[in-house]
Amino acid sequence: MTLDASPDLLPLPRERRSTRSFDDTHVLVDDELRAMLEAARWAPSAGNSQPWAFLVARRGDAAHQRLVPLLSRGNQSWAPRASALVFTLHQVASGPEEDALTYSDYAAYDLGQAVAQLSVQALALGLVVHQFAGFDHEGLAAQAGVPRHWQVTTGVALGRELAADDAGDAAARERDRRPRTRKPLAELAFGATFGEPLDLG
Ligand SMILES: Cc1cc2nc3c(=O)[nH]c(=O)nc-3n(C[C@H](O)[C@H](O)[C@H](O)COP(=O)(O)O)c2cc1C
């Protein structure tokens, strides 16, 4: 099913997409980066456990140079052009501290929601977001000194989309022009019985 079937959607879910055509001249200013991380920080979480953390690499800085080689080959073809790569982590056990929060079974869920809020903030700033899992998670944990009770989870490429009249990378442009598709609602929204489509009139 394509978006044509969902005319009432807000512009944001309607127009966002995981673009591969980043403008590699765009520089993310501190205020924009801070606003996106603040949006993640203010996400709800189970028992207010806030089981998320972020590693930030800006294009051209030392972290970027260290972390880009850990991307999968496919992601190397587009992600380094983004203005920043934010790697996300969630807590998978209680920390060693005396007053450590009890680990929550909902940590991965909470991180996902924090990234969703970061994405909403990014789109409101006129930026685009492309999440990715294709990178060497263990290599990144080792490079960044991640404690054992944290799990490196995803990467988030942030930046400005290349102008429409800029040819950019042909393969990336071609992928970005493909229609976005989703399963129909009847396959995921049920009434009281799993598998029985919700009656939406
Ligand atoms: C957890 C996660 C992992 C993903 N991994 C990759 C990836 O490694 N490379 C990539 O190009 N896109 C990746 N994506 C993007 C998805 O392919 C994309 O969200 C999906 O195809 C739907 O397209 P849309 O976001 O444009 O609507 C990932 C998305 C998520 C949420």
Side-chain angles (χ1 to χ4, degrees):
M1 181 183 268
T2 65
L3 269 172
D4 301 338
S6 314
D8 298 330
L9 270 187
L10 291 171
L12 199 143
R14 204 182 159 77
E15 287 159 23
R16 68 148 291 283
R17 69 176 304 132
S18 298
T19 183
R20 287 174 170 75
S21 300
F22 283 95
D23 177 351
D24 67 1
T25 65
H26 174 258
V27 175
L28 202 55
V29 299
D30 286 347
D31 282 350
E32 292 172 327
L33 187 54
R34 187 191 313 277
M36 291 184 280
L37 293 168
E38 286 283 357
R41 181 165 85 99
W42 284 99
S45 60
N48 204 17
S49 49
Q50 306 166 63
W52 44 61
F54 305 95
L55 294 163
V56 180
R58 303 191 216 209
R59 195 185 57 250
D61 73 5
H64 196 262
Q65 279 161 27
R66 270 207 340 258
L67 301 180
V68 159
L70 301 174
L71 302 181
S72 67
R73 212 156 49 135
N75 291 337
Q76 296 252 5
S77 70
W78 59 267
R81 286 196 297 272
S83 309
L85 299 174
V86 175
F87 292 92
T88 78
L89 302 92
H90 73 280
Q91 208 172 335
V92 287
S94 293
E97 315 84 28
E98 284 273 297
D99 59 348
L101 278 173
T102 311
Y103 160 69
S104 151
D105 284 337
Y106 299 96
Y109 179 94
D110 293 340
L111 172 62
Q113 189 155 214
V115 176
Q117 288 205 179
L118 180 152
S119 303
V120 169
Q121 186 72 38
L123 290 157
L125 290 168
L127 301 171
V128 289
V129 175
H130 188 155
Q131 300 179 52
F132 57 92
F135 63 94
D136 175 358
H137 290 61
E138 285 174 14
L140 189 131
Q143 279 265 0
V146 174
R148 291 175 69 85
H149 58 290
W150 286 91
Q151 183 174 314
V152 174
T153 312
T154 56
V156 184
L158 302 168
R160 189 169 66 190
E161 187 166 14
L162 207 56
D165 60 356
D166 191 321
D169 175 76
R173 279 293 200 206
E174 190 278 319
R175 292 289 294 268
D176 287 349
R177 288 197 183 105
R178 290 185 199 169
R180 293 169 62 224
T181 60
R182 290 296 188 269
K183 293 176 191 172
L185 261 192
E187 285 184 23
L188 54 105
F190 310 133
T193 305
F194 188 91
E196 203 170 278
L198 182 66
D199 183 3
L200 289 170

PDB file of all heavy atoms in Angstrom, residues 113-129:
ATOM      1  N   GLN A 113      11.346   5.259  20.951  1.00  0.00           N
ATOM      2  CA  GLN A 113      10.476   6.435  21.064  1.00  0.00           C
ATOM      3  C   GLN A 113      11.306   7.722  21.166  1.00  0.00           C
ATOM      4  O   GLN A 113      10.932   8.765  20.625  1.00  0.00           O
ATOM      5  CB  GLN A 113       9.555   6.294  22.263  1.00  0.00           C
ATOM      6  CG  GLN A 113       8.509   7.356  22.311  1.00  0.00           C
ATOM      7  CD  GLN A 113       7.281   6.933  23.085  1.00  0.00           C
ATOM      8  OE1 GLN A 113       6.188   7.344  22.728  1.00  0.00           O
ATOM      9  NE2 GLN A 113       7.433   6.146  24.114  1.00  0.00           N
ATOM     10  N   ALA A 114      12.432   7.648  21.854  1.00  0.00           N
ATOM     11  CA  ALA A 114      13.307   8.826  21.943  1.00  0.00           C
ATOM     12  C   ALA A 114      13.806   9.207  20.545  1.00  0.00           C
ATOM     13  O   ALA A 114      13.859  10.389  20.186  1.00  0.00           O
ATOM     14  CB  ALA A 114      14.478   8.535  22.880  1.00  0.00           C
ATOM     15  N   VAL A 115      14.149   8.218  19.744  1.00  0.00           N
ATOM     16  CA  VAL A 115      14.623   8.507  18.377  1.00  0.00           C
ATOM     17  C   VAL A 115      13.476   9.046  17.523  1.00  0.00           C
ATOM     18  O   VAL A 115      13.685   9.925  16.674  1.00  0.00           O
ATOM     19  CB  VAL A 115      15.279   7.262  17.738  1.00  0.00           C
ATOM     20  CG1 VAL A 115      15.666   7.536  16.293  1.00  0.00           C
ATOM     21  CG2 VAL A 115      16.510   6.840  18.541  1.00  0.00           C
ATOM     22  N   ALA A 116      12.263   8.547  17.787  1.00  0.00           N
ATOM     23  CA  ALA A 116      11.112   9.086  17.041  1.00  0.00           C
ATOM     24  C   ALA A 116      10.953  10.578  17.360  1.00  0.00           C
ATOM     25  O   ALA A 116      10.729  11.395  16.458  1.00  0.00           O
ATOM     26  CB  ALA A 116       9.849   8.320  17.399  1.00  0.00           C
ATOM     27  N   GLN A 117      11.105  10.935  18.639  1.00  0.00           N
ATOM     28  CA  GLN A 117      10.977  12.362  18.999  1.00  0.00           C
ATOM     29  C   GLN A 117      12.108  13.184  18.388  1.00  0.00           C
ATOM     30  O   GLN A 117      11.908  14.303  17.928  1.00  0.00           O
ATOM     31  CB  GLN A 117      10.942  12.533  20.519  1.00  0.00           C
ATOM     32  CG  GLN A 117       9.643  12.045  21.103  1.00  0.00           C
ATOM     33  CD  GLN A 117       9.261  12.694  22.430  1.00  0.00           C
ATOM     34  OE1 GLN A 117       8.208  12.365  22.962  1.00  0.00           O
ATOM     35  NE2 GLN A 117      10.064  13.593  22.953  1.00  0.00           N
ATOM     36  N   LEU A 118      13.312  12.611  18.383  1.00  0.00           N
ATOM     37  CA  LEU A 118      14.447  13.287  17.726  1.00  0.00           C
ATOM     38  C   LEU A 118      14.111  13.527  16.247  1.00  0.00           C
ATOM     39  O   LEU A 118      14.373  14.598  15.693  1.00  0.00           O
ATOM     40  CB  LEU A 118      15.692  12.417  17.886  1.00  0.00           C
ATOM     41  CG  LEU A 118      17.007  12.886  17.293  1.00  0.00           C
ATOM     42  CD1 LEU A 118      18.172  12.313  18.107  1.00  0.00           C
ATOM     43  CD2 LEU A 118      17.171  12.490  15.839  1.00  0.00           C
ATOM     44  N   SER A 119      13.492  12.528  15.627  1.00  0.00           N
ATOM     45  CA  SER A 119      13.160  12.642  14.202  1.00  0.00           C
ATOM     46  C   SER A 119      12.115  13.717  13.950  1.00  0.00           C
ATOM     47  O   SER A 119      12.213  14.470  12.971  1.00  0.00           O
ATOM     48  CB  SER A 119      12.625  11.305  13.671  1.00  0.00           C
ATOM     49  OG  SER A 119      13.553  10.278  13.890  1.00  0.00           O
ATOM     50  N   VAL A 120      11.128  13.796  14.842  1.00  0.00           N
ATOM     51  CA  VAL A 120      10.094  14.827  14.692  1.00  0.00           C
ATOM     52  C   VAL A 120      10.729  16.218  14.781  1.00  0.00           C
ATOM     53  O   VAL A 120      10.464  17.111  13.972  1.00  0.00           O
ATOM     54  CB  VAL A 120       9.009  14.658  15.788  1.00  0.00           C
ATOM     55  CG1 VAL A 120       8.072  15.850  15.823  1.00  0.00           C
ATOM     56  CG2 VAL A 120       8.223  13.365  15.556  1.00  0.00           C
ATOM     57  N   GLN A 121      11.649  16.375  15.755  1.00  0.00           N
ATOM     58  CA  GLN A 121      12.333  17.668  15.917  1.00  0.00           C
ATOM     59  C   GLN A 121      13.173  17.987  14.676  1.00  0.00           C
ATOM     60  O   GLN A 121      13.193  19.124  14.194  1.00  0.00           O
ATOM     61  CB  GLN A 121      13.224  17.622  17.163  1.00  0.00           C
ATOM     62  CG  GLN A 121      13.867  18.948  17.505  1.00  0.00           C
ATOM     63  CD  GLN A 121      12.875  19.962  18.057  1.00  0.00           C
ATOM     64  OE1 GLN A 121      11.992  19.597  18.809  1.00  0.00           O
ATOM     65  NE2 GLN A 121      13.026  21.210  17.674  1.00  0.00           N
ATOM     66  N   ALA A 122      13.848  16.980  14.153  1.00  0.00           N
ATOM     67  CA  ALA A 122      14.678  17.183  12.961  1.00  0.00           C
ATOM     68  C   ALA A 122      13.822  17.664  11.790  1.00  0.00           C
ATOM     69  O   ALA A 122      14.177  18.622  11.089  1.00  0.00           O
ATOM     70  CB  ALA A 122      15.386  15.878  12.586  1.00  0.00           C
ATOM     71  N   LEU A 123      12.692  17.018  11.609  1.00  0.00           N
ATOM     72  CA  LEU A 123      11.844  17.389  10.472  1.00  0.00           C
ATOM     73  C   LEU A 123      11.296  18.799  10.650  1.00  0.00           C
ATOM     74  O   LEU A 123      11.192  19.557   9.693  1.00  0.00           O
ATOM     75  CB  LEU A 123      10.735  16.356  10.294  1.00  0.00           C
ATOM     76  CG  LEU A 123      11.295  15.018   9.800  1.00  0.00           C
ATOM     77  CD1 LEU A 123      10.372  13.858  10.143  1.00  0.00           C
ATOM     78  CD2 LEU A 123      11.555  15.058   8.311  1.00  0.00           C
ATOM     79  N   ALA A 124      10.996  19.171  11.909  1.00  0.00           N
ATOM     80  CA  ALA A 124      10.514  20.528  12.172  1.00  0.00           C
ATOM     81  C   ALA A 124      11.608  21.563  11.875  1.00  0.00           C
ATOM     82  O   ALA A 124      11.316  22.718  11.573  1.00  0.00           O
ATOM     83  CB  ALA A 124      10.045  20.649  13.618  1.00  0.00           C
ATOM     84  N   LEU A 125      12.865  21.147  11.954  1.00  0.00           N
ATOM     85  CA  LEU A 125      13.994  22.048  11.646  1.00  0.00           C
ATOM     86  C   LEU A 125      14.331  22.032  10.148  1.00  0.00           C
ATOM     87  O   LEU A 125      15.317  22.634   9.723  1.00  0.00           O
ATOM     88  CB  LEU A 125      15.230  21.617  12.446  1.00  0.00           C
ATOM     89  CG  LEU A 125      15.186  21.841  13.960  1.00  0.00           C
ATOM     90  CD1 LEU A 125      16.327  21.108  14.659  1.00  0.00           C
ATOM     91  CD2 LEU A 125      15.251  23.339  14.272  1.00  0.00           C
ATOM     92  N   GLY A 126      13.554  21.295   9.377  1.00  0.00           N
ATOM     93  CA  GLY A 126      13.810  21.220   7.939  1.00  0.00           C
ATOM     94  C   GLY A 126      14.919  20.245   7.585  1.00  0.00           C
ATOM     95  O   GLY A 126      15.486  20.302   6.487  1.00  0.00           O
ATOM     96  N   LEU A 127      15.212  19.349   8.520  1.00  0.00           N
ATOM     97  CA  LEU A 127      16.285  18.370   8.282  1.00  0.00           C
ATOM     98  C   LEU A 127      15.678  17.011   7.958  1.00  0.00           C
ATOM     99  O   LEU A 127      14.486  16.785   8.169  1.00  0.00           O
ATOM    100  CB  LEU A 127      17.185  18.281   9.514  1.00  0.00           C
ATOM    101  CG  LEU A 127      17.837  19.615   9.913  1.00  0.00           C
ATOM    102  CD1 LEU A 127      18.530  19.495  11.261  1.00  0.00           C
ATOM    103  CD2 LEU A 127      18.819  20.075   8.840  1.00  0.00           C
ATOM    104  N   VAL A 128      16.511  16.104   7.458  1.00  0.00           N
ATOM    105  CA  VAL A 128      16.041  14.755   7.172  1.00  0.00           C
ATOM    106  C   VAL A 128      16.822  13.755   8.026  1.00  0.00           C
ATOM    107  O   VAL A 128      17.934  14.037   8.487  1.00  0.00           O
ATOM    108  CB  VAL A 128      16.161  14.408   5.659  1.00  0.00           C
ATOM    109  CG1 VAL A 128      15.139  15.191   4.851  1.00  0.00           C
ATOM    110  CG2 VAL A 128      17.561  14.660   5.139  1.00  0.00           C
ATOM    111  N   VAL A 129      16.204  12.607   8.221  1.00  0.00           N
ATOM    112  CA  VAL A 129      16.737  11.581   9.119  1.00  0.00           C
ATOM    113  C   VAL A 129      16.699  10.242   8.407  1.00  0.00           C
ATOM    114  O   VAL A 129      15.701   9.914   7.770  1.00  0.00           O
ATOM    115  CB  VAL A 129      15.834  11.495  10.387  1.00  0.00           C
ATOM    116  CG1 VAL A 129      16.277  10.367  11.303  1.00  0.00           C
ATOM    117  CG2 VAL A 129      15.813  12.814  11.134  1.00  0.00           C
TER     118      VAL A 129
END
